[in-house]
Amino acid sequence: MVVGGTQAAKGEFPWMVRLSMGCGGSMLTEQLVLTAAHCVSRTGNNTSITATYGVADLQDTSRTTRTSTYVHRSPTYDTATGGDWAIIKLASPITGASLLPIATTNAYNTGVFTVAGWGATRENGSQSRYLLKAQVDYIDDTTCKNADPYYADLIPSAELCAGNLAAGGVDTCQGDSGGPMFRRDGSGAWVQVGIVSHGNGCARPDNPGVYTEVSTFAAAIKQAAADLGGTPNPPTGKVFENTADVAIPDAGAAVYSNVTVSGVSGNAPSALAVGVAIKHSWSGDVVIDLVAPDGSTYRLKNSSSSSTPDVNTTYTVNASSEVANGTWRLKVQDVYREDTGYIDSWKLTF
Ligand code: ARG
């Protein structure tokens, strides 16, 4: 890749994959590779792609290769929604492969990103035998749209721009498509924020690279992976928990348990995991809400006729409009007479 790149060391970006049609990719699970929709033709059986894993030098004989069996192409690609992503299923897992977690929140769609690939090293140049890496700056949607007429139809919710805006000189290029754009998350681990998608030439001033906005499609990617029999690594989650018991009065006022979140930059995830453990002799009596730091309330569970005891569930909340840091509250109310219980513990995973 890249105009302006330097060689990456073997093992530096262990989840990087080279695909035989001339694209990049990243290990989503041991048997699934995340790439770009425009790198593949359609959803369906496909045994024509070879994935190369585990090397920086494509000629390194220690490389691991796998043939594809199936391709899932984003159904929203080439629609107004956008979504230049696809998943390739390998014939067998690469056991022990390093996986790159995908961003489930827009919190990391900012700052400086790293890109890597074996694509062209200059516009119209040839592909690279060695994996190259570079750093590119986040460019906001409005600046990107106005950078050059080429970018006028940017889809802000589906695409992220990055590059060296005024000077150019650093960019992904043909053959890098499908590869990841990534950065460090709140706990210092790599997280994938983009997929190399397109651009006007390569590394020209005022012509940034355009990347699939991974956080927007995280839920769809996870669902597609599940349908293909895989579970992507969750981003290295920070867990915030309260294990103090709180009694729930019978048909009484709501009670609260607090969890204070700190050190998480930006907003909460679009799939915030809320783990709840409540001991109660009749779970249908209980109504549960999550209250965000600003007081916004998300209903987790309504009352019902269910006589099943206890609640032991992880709820998923789209909390992407909430700032992560602050005091979150679990609000629990028993709304029917007879039967009581207590909040045993609950936790938020960011
Ligand atoms: N579409 C290209 C590919 O198939 C990637 C182009 C990226 N271009 C850029 N200027 N960043 O490899």
Side-chain angles (χ1 to χ4, degrees):
M1 83 130 165
V2 164
V3 193
T6 57
Q7 275 192 29
K10 183 174 176 171
E12 187 173 358
F13 307 120
W15 18 256
M16 284 294 308
V17 171
R18 175 67 171 177
L19 298 168
S20 54
M21 80 293 260
C23 277
S26 52
M27 296 302 294
L28 183 65
T29 74
E30 289 182 345
Q31 203 171 352
L32 299 176
V33 175
L34 183 61
T35 187
H38 82 263
C39 288
V40 299
S41 52
R42 59 177 186 86
T43 293
N45 293 336
N46 185 324
T47 54
S48 71
I49 305 165
T50 302
T52 301
Y53 167 86
V55 292
D57 172 2
L58 292 173
Q59 255 105 100
D60 185 331
T61 51
S62 72
R63 64 187 177 252
T64 297
T65 59
R66 289 287 187 280
T67 305
S68 62
T69 54
Y70 189 86
V71 165
H72 174 91
R73 193 175 196 251
S74 164
T76 57
Y77 179 60
D78 262 345
T79 72
T81 307
D84 189 6
W85 62 270
I87 296 175
I88 295 172
K89 184 165 188 172
L90 308 176
S92 63
I94 301 177
T95 307
S98 289
L99 310 181
L100 179 58
I102 57 171
T104 55
T105 146
N106 60 13
Y108 302 113
N109 297 345
T110 184
V112 177
F113 307 122
T114 300
V115 286
W118 290 270
T121 52
R122 56 187 169 78
E123 193 172 325
N124 300 316
S126 50
Q127 301 287 295
S128 175
R129 168 177 163 180
Y130 301 96
L131 181 63
L132 299 183
K133 61 175 176 179
Q135 292 198 322
V136 286
D137 298 322
Y138 167 78
I139 295 166
D140 70 78
D141 291 326
T142 307
T143 304
C144 188
K145 260 189 188 263
N146 296 325
D148 182 276
Y150 174 91
Y151 299 89
D153 49 12
L154 184 84
I155 308 174
S157 57
E159 297 180 310
L160 263 179
C161 298
N164 190 355
L165 188 65
V170 184
D171 196 6
T172 46
C173 199
Q174 265 53 45
D176 291 320
S177 279
M181 176 167 80
F182 44 95
R183 54 160 283 172
R184 301 283 186 178
D185 71 9
S187 57
W190 291 118
V191 62
Q192 181 169 359
V193 297
I195 300 170
V196 180
S197 183
H198 63 99
N200 190 22
C202 301
R204 302 181 189 176
D206 295 315
N207 285 270
V210 180
Y211 297 81
T212 314
E213 190 163 327
V214 165
S215 59
T216 299
F217 300 101
I221 292 169
K222 272 193 203 170
Q223 184 58 56
D227 293 345
L228 294 172
T231 309
N233 265 9
T236 325
K238 285 194 176 180
V239 179
F240 300 88
E241 186 169 25
N242 188 337
T243 58
D245 294 353
V246 179
I248 305 166
D250 188 30
V255 293
Y256 294 86
S257 173
N258 293 0
V259 159
T260 298
V261 173
S262 62
V264 179
S265 55
N267 282 12
S270 55
L272 174 63
V274 187
V276 177
I278 290 175
K279 302 282 185 213
H280 197 283
S281 45
W282 193 290
S283 68
D285 285 8
V286 171
V287 177
I288 311 174
D289 292 294
L290 174 71
V291 186
D294 71 353
S296 312
T297 298
Y298 298 85
R299 176 58 46 95
L300 303 180
K301 177 193 170 305
N302 280 309
S303 60
S304 72
S305 57
S306 169
S307 64
T308 311
D310 301 342
V311 176
N312 279 303
T313 310
T314 299
Y315 299 97
T316 302
V317 172
N318 182 348
S320 59
S321 63
E322 307 294 342
V323 173
N325 287 341
T327 300
W328 295 72
R329 296 186 297 165
L330 191 74
K331 176 183 177 187
V332 181
Q333 187 168 20
D334 178 301
V335 295
Y336 294 118
R337 293 209 184 281
E338 295 178 43
D339 295 291
T340 57
Y342 61 95
I343 304 173
D344 191 18
S345 68
W346 74 287
K347 64 181 176 186
L348 295 169
T349 306
F350 285 82

